[in-house]
Amino acid sequence: RKTPTNLRTTVYVKYDEKDLYVGIKDNRDPDKIITSIKNRDETWNEDYVALMADPFGDDRYGILIGVNALGVQLDEKHTSGSEPDDSWDILFRSSTAIQDDGYSAELIIPFSELQFPETEIQKWQLGFIRKSYH
């Protein structure tokens, strides 16, 4: 469902030659955050934030990379005509913190872990997901 949220979310994106940096701030009452420590890719039914990227910009391939409020990593690959593949795991660094006004997440994603066109000019499609249960 692609509808605007009534909960405020702020996203920052930067990059350098080696890494993509994403910061996400989820603003809300921290007592309403649903989160737990589980294995990687097992927190889909909890609150989480994520980057959804299509490095080819053609809507046929996408990657989701995110974390829940306690830092459990989530990642999956999407290809047209198939179900999302959460057995796809990449090495990325993440950090989270629960604060008085919600939680924040930082992701450092090495470009070497991703598939993308080998062209000098890149044109990606980026989106951001904030899954909230309350």
Side-chain angles (χ1 to χ4, degrees):
R1 186 172 99 162
K2 295 180 180 181
T3 58
T5 180
N6 60 353
L7 301 170
R8 199 174 106 217
T9 307
T10 306
V11 177
Y12 301 93
V13 178
K14 288 183 71 174
Y15 66 93
D16 61 25
E17 293 176 2
K18 293 172 59 176
D19 299 306
L20 177 65
Y21 304 90
V22 179
I24 304 173
K25 176 66 177 158
D26 175 326
N27 293 300
R28 67 148 92 215
D29 180 349
D31 293 331
K32 294 184 178 178
I33 297 171
I34 297 173
T35 190
S36 66
I37 297 291
K38 292 183 179 176
N39 292 328
R40 181 184 193 124
D41 295 330
E42 290 186 0
T43 60
W44 297 109
N45 293 322
E46 299 180 359
D47 294 352
Y48 68 86
V49 293
L51 160 74
M52 185 68 182
D54 175 0
F56 294 90
D58 61 8
D59 294 325
R60 293 184 299 154
Y61 172 78
I63 53 172
L64 182 146
I65 302 169
V67 290
N68 77 357
L70 293 176
V72 175
Q73 293 184 342
L74 304 163
D75 52 4
E76 64 183 11
K77 180 170 51 173
H78 296 244
T79 53
S80 61
S82 353
E83 292 294 315
D85 178 6
D86 67 7
S87 70
W88 178 80
D89 291 328
I90 65 166
L91 298 175
F92 69 98
R93 292 178 283 167
S94 59
S95 177
T96 60
I98 296 176
Q99 297 123 351
D100 291 341
D101 61 347
Y103 72 98
S104 61
E106 297 175 356
L107 310 174
I108 301 174
I109 305 161
F111 287 119
S112 62
E113 292 287 317
L114 306 177
Q115 293 179 329
F116 54 90
E118 290 189 33
T119 59
E120 187 174 331
I121 297 175
Q122 299 284 321
K123 187 176 179 182
W124 293 25
Q125 295 182 52
L126 298 179
F128 301 93
I129 298 169
R130 174 185 177 178
K131 184 76 114 183
S132 300
Y133 295 90
H134 65 274

